[in-house]
Amino acid sequence: MTDMPPDAPIAPPPKSRMRLALESDVFYTFRRSPVAVISALVVLVLVLSSVLAPWIAPTNPFDPSSLNLMNGFTPPMEPNAFTGETFLLGTDDQGRDVFSTILYGMRISLFVGVAAVTFAMILGITLGLISGYVGGWLETIIMRTADVQLTFPSILVAMLIFGIAKGVTPVEYRDQMAIWVLILAIGLSDWVQFARVVRGATLVEKNKEYVQAARLIGRTPGAIMLRHILPNVLSPVLVIATISLALAIIAEATLSFLGVGAPPTQPSLGTLIRIGQGFLFSGEWWILFFPACTLLALALSVNLLGDWLRDALNPRLR
Amino acid sequence: MTAPVMSAKGLTRHYDVSGGLFSRSQVLRAVGGLDFELYAGKTLAVVGESGCGKSTLARLVTFIEEPTEGALTLDGKPVTRADWPDLRSSVQIVFQDPYGSLNPRQTIGTILMEPLVINRPKMSGKEREAQARKTLGLVGLRPEHFDRYPHMFSGGQRQRIAVARALMLEPKVLVLDEPVSALDLSIQSAILNLLVDLQDRLNLAYLFISHDLSVVHHVADDVIVMYLGRAVEKGSKEAVFAAPKHPYTKALLSATPRADPLAKADRIKLAGELPSPLEVGAGCPFAPRCWKTQDRCRVERPDLQGDAHLAACHFPIGPDGA
Ligand SMILES: Nc1ncnc2c1ncn2[C@@H]1O[C@H](COP(=O)(O)OP(=O)(O)OP(=O)(O)O)[C@@H](O)[C@H]1O
Ligand SMILES: [Mg+2]
């Protein structure tokens, strides 16, 4: 009648983090899922090429000195009638290389998306932790606000916030501030999901005895939330963040397409689609087509990756 | 007789349980008027059915919750809420569920050093680690377990880790809330032996909470039997086990499996379920389930009576067993 002798080989000696990651279940299901592998590759290529845009892009579309109006409306892969220059994906009305504008536009789309999701995540996690752990009237206020906000489509919320923020910024700063206002608007329209999920997980975790034990050794509520509960509620947050990123990229494109997002001086993919849309019926299809395809590929692959991650991290769905 | 490390007088905890929208809020008496003393090197066991307030008692004694009424004294000094931070080191707890009581994202080393980080800020990192490793050895684990995560351990090993964490601040009182109930029978005795051994070495006072009388028999010096938040019997282990005075205690004992199958005592089957702690009337709380109930039991609540071996019963069972 003994306990497992303490020296029983229960677990092999700890491996390096890299080995652990490569042998984990999550990585195993990743390799077994062609959709996940392909989406990850697409995301990787798109992210890398937008980060490296200044080195990859043939021209800098924001540098007026490099532009030649004579190059306007050059179709893809055909030499221009006046200058003889050839462009992989053609040029727009001002002679800007579409391939370059896409690379730079994707940069802005990704930046806005990542920044907005990060903002939404920090806000949502904080409010979710507080309402789950502290409870009381704080919880009531936070969760009721969330409920009310959920009854509006988030794009409307974003437009509303965008409009208000734009109204209070002085005219001369509007174009500079547009990107930040966009991030704020999309972020504020998207925190609810994070807050709900984190609150739910916090309610479960806070009743576990390790939290009581932490209270008993004198951890303050703030430290308990940050050190004990937060690490244990992060995996659903990761899933939501990925899916939210796809939604944020689409929301940004929608706002920019509607003309209330990124300004033409800093065009995102949505701005490019809006510009291209004006030439669709006059035959210059490439100005719209290539940015739209890029947006589709980006949003779809991020979304598929998020779907896969949700299945992989949720054992009940497997 | 030595002075008690900790004593409780009239310890009471009520909860306001608000009903639905249309019912008025009610008072649930989870713990009602408990008196007891804990002595260094001795074990006081608290036994009772599920829901009788054992864990609530544990939370009161470990300063997680404040008593509604009554008071605790530690080393002869009355405890007030303002003292809680200073007293944390003196009273620690081991929980029932070894799977919920360790943070899955922390290594054993981090878990063991955390109490020191907060309560011994002057200690250097090296000293903390040295003490954590020493305690790890004390509970029968090995040095290489220091950097592992809780999921790599069995239930019994996890409970050893939980005991080690409770010992990090060198407490005087250890509250054990059903420390072996979640473990396999074969592992239970190893953990119980460890606890007995640690008590001898460190001169700890134990408040041992359990619903399992055979476990209590193994470790207790004194026993309190609780029913719906109240003590119904209190005395030395020998007295309570050999000659229970309260019918409830006798019923509990008769339901406990014995090692000797021939000593098949008449098993007393209690009528009815454990009543809701909200619906305790004026009389003896046990009266609805008792086979000795008389009119007096339904109207007048008995107090604990006796010298060393006390029982709260109007018609206690005599030495003849009737
Ligand atoms: N925070 C609370 N609010 C309201 N009621 C509570 C609270 N905590 C405990 N109770 C009630 O107090 C009573 C005693 O609960 P407690 O957890 O102390 O029982 P227990 O003896 O430990 O039971 P178990 O053996 O199941 O662990 C129960 O009826 C429970 O519903
Ligand atoms: Mg309990």
Side-chain angles (χ1 to χ4, degrees):
Chain A
M1 293 265 280
T2 49
D3 182 7
M4 278 293 214
D7 50 351
I10 283 296
K15 301 175 180 170
S16 74
R17 271 170 192 261
M18 191 65 195
R19 284 283 303 278
L20 278 177
L22 288 178
E23 287 171 19
S24 70
D25 282 1
V26 174
F27 189 74
Y28 179 76
T29 65
F30 178 75
R31 278 184 310 173
R32 295 286 303 268
S33 158
V35 176
V37 173
I38 293 172
S39 331
L41 277 180
V42 173
V43 172
L44 191 72
V45 167
L46 292 178
V47 168
L48 272 184
S49 52
S50 60
V51 169
L52 301 176
W55 294 275
I56 295 177
T59 61
N60 180 352
F62 305 117
D63 178 7
S65 66
S66 75
L67 294 183
N68 184 350
L69 272 180
M70 300 288 277
N71 276 333
F73 296 127
T74 316
M77 301 299 285
E78 275 177 41
N80 182 275
F82 307 101
T83 61
E85 288 183 62
T86 314
F87 299 92
L88 182 63
L89 303 179
T91 63
D92 65 4
D93 55 332
Q94 302 181 45
R96 288 190 291 200
D97 174 33
V98 170
F99 180 55
S100 306
T101 55
I102 286 177
L103 289 184
Y104 278 86
M106 194 159 60
R107 247 183 155 201
I108 290 171
S109 290
L110 269 173
F111 173 72
V112 171
V114 169
V117 169
T118 309
F119 175 54
M121 195 161 78
I122 292 172
L123 188 68
I125 289 176
T126 312
L127 293 179
L129 273 176
I130 291 175
S131 55
Y133 189 76
V134 181
W137 57 269
L138 260 175
E139 179 184 22
T140 310
I141 295 178
I142 294 170
M143 295 327 286
R144 287 301 151 271
T145 313
D147 289 344
V148 169
Q149 191 173 323
L150 266 192
T151 60
F152 297 102
S154 61
I155 197 78
L156 278 188
V157 178
M159 280 180 82
L160 185 74
I161 298 166
F162 190 86
I164 295 172
K166 212 168 173 185
V168 300
T169 19
V171 180
E172 58 270 32
Y173 296 116
R174 267 190 202 161
D175 265 14
Q176 291 171 24
M177 296 293 292
I179 294 287
W180 299 103
V181 171
L182 203 54
I183 290 169
L184 180 80
I186 297 173
L188 279 181
S189 73
D190 198 35
W191 65 275
V192 173
Q193 292 208 57
F194 290 99
R196 290 194 143 193
V197 164
V198 169
R199 172 178 166 270
T202 303
L203 287 176
V204 173
E205 293 299 318
K206 91 165 174 185
N207 287 322
K208 294 203 178 152
E209 285 165 344
Y210 73 86
V211 172
Q212 276 195 28
R215 226 183 298 165
L216 194 61
I217 56 168
R219 278 279 184 218
T220 56
I224 290 178
M225 283 188 255
L226 280 179
R227 288 168 175 272
H228 289 279
I229 296 182
L230 182 60
N232 285 297
V233 301
L234 274 185
S235 50
V237 167
L238 189 65
V239 174
I240 299 184
T242 320
I243 294 173
S244 283
L245 178 61
L247 294 177
I249 290 171
I250 293 170
E252 183 279 327
T254 311
L255 290 175
S256 298
F257 180 78
L258 295 172
V260 294
T265 51
Q266 282 173 297
S268 68
L269 289 177
T271 323
L272 294 180
I273 292 172
R274 175 164 63 98
I275 297 170
Q277 180 249 158
F279 305 107
L280 186 58
F281 296 106
S282 51
E284 289 86 12
W285 54 273
W286 59 89
I287 307 178
L288 169 73
F289 182 73
F290 293 116
C293 284
T294 314
L295 177 67
L296 184 75
L298 183 62
L300 188 67
S301 52
V302 172
N303 203 358
L304 286 174
L305 210 54
D307 275 351
W308 165 78
L309 199 59
R310 184 183 53 204
D311 295 350
L313 291 181
N314 188 345
R316 264 172 302 165
L317 290 179
R318 246 195 269 163
Chain B
M1 194 148 177
T2 49
V5 185
M6 182 181 238
S7 66
K9 267 261 162 298
L11 209 58
T12 301
R13 173 74 204 191
H14 293 175
Y15 291 112
D16 275 325
V17 278
S18 46
L21 198 54
F22 299 105
S23 57
R24 67 201 160 78
S25 79
Q26 285 175 295
V27 172
L28 187 153
R29 317 186 87 214
V31 172
L34 281 187
D35 299 335
F36 59 84
E37 285 86 35
L38 301 177
Y39 295 94
K42 296 279 179 211
T43 301
L44 172 66
V46 174
V47 214
E49 281 169 287
S50 179
C52 72
K54 304 184 299 286
S55 296
T56 308
L57 173 65
R59 289 197 294 274
L60 295 177
V61 171
T62 49
F63 316 122
I64 296 175
E65 279 177 25
E66 216 170 355
T68 318
E69 273 167 46
L72 288 165
T73 48
L74 193 67
D75 284 329
K77 288 186 276 297
V79 174
T80 63
R81 191 164 186 152
D83 303 328
W84 283 9
D86 300 329
L87 299 180
R88 254 181 337 242
S89 310
S90 308
V91 185
Q92 285 289 317
I93 188 169
V94 175
F95 294 104
Q96 172 174 3
D97 174 16
Y99 292 88
S101 63
L102 305 175
N103 185 340
R105 306 274 163 167
Q106 289 183 328
T107 62
I108 306 314
T110 314
I111 291 173
L112 293 188
M113 289 188 292
E114 194 175 14
L116 299 178
V117 172
I118 305 159
N119 294 283
R120 306 275 186 275
K122 290 206 191 90
M123 244 181 172
S124 74
K126 268 222 179 75
E127 288 170 315
R128 279 184 205 132
E129 184 176 333
Q131 191 171 332
R133 288 186 184 277
K134 199 183 96 198
T135 315
L136 203 61
L138 201 61
V139 298
L141 291 169
R142 295 200 307 163
E144 62 264 35
H145 292 146
F146 194 78
D147 291 314
R148 297 190 187 169
Y149 287 89
H151 72 262
M152 300 170 160
F153 293 91
S154 68
Q157 287 176 316
R158 285 177 196 226
Q159 207 57 318
R160 288 174 191 265
I161 297 163
V163 171
R165 172 178 58 194
L167 294 179
M168 285 308 292
L169 294 174
E170 297 168 351
K172 295 176 184 152
V173 176
L174 199 55
V175 177
L176 302 146
D177 188 356
E178 311 231 12
V180 297
S181 308
L183 305 177
D184 281 357
L185 216 56
S186 58
I187 298 171
Q188 286 193 357
S189 66
I191 298 291
L192 291 177
N193 289 339
L194 170 73
L195 290 172
V196 170
D197 179 45
L198 287 172
Q199 182 170 49
D200 286 347
R201 279 209 240 176
L202 305 172
N203 204 25
L204 293 162
Y206 283 170
L207 179 65
F208 191 100
I209 292 171
S210 179
H211 64 265
D212 185 344
L213 281 170
S214 53
V215 167
V216 168
H217 193 260
H218 193 96
V219 295
D221 293 300
D222 292 303
V223 177
I224 290 182
V225 181
M226 269 177 88
Y227 188 76
L228 292 179
R230 295 167 181 283
V232 294
E233 183 151 0
K234 185 177 169 185
S236 70
K237 174 182 78 180
E238 289 76 18
V240 172
F241 274 77
K245 285 186 177 174
H246 198 284
Y248 178 60
T249 314
K250 185 162 173 135
L252 280 184
L253 279 170
S254 79
T256 306
R258 309 266 163 109
D260 178 7
L262 292 178
K264 205 171 90 194
D266 319 292
R267 198 176 153 154
I268 303 165
K269 210 160 176 293
L270 288 180
E273 280 293 300
L274 184 70
S276 154
L278 287 169
E279 289 154 13
V280 180
C284 171
F286 187 58
R289 295 169 81 189
C290 185
W291 66 95
K292 294 179 69 166
T293 305
Q294 304 195 12
D295 288 344
R296 185 180 169 201
C297 302
R298 297 197 186 87
V299 290
E300 188 190 333
R301 174 173 296 147
D303 286 325
L304 269 182
Q305 287 157 351
D307 290 331
H309 183 181
L310 304 90
C313 184
H314 294 307
F315 309 101
I317 297 166
D320 56 343

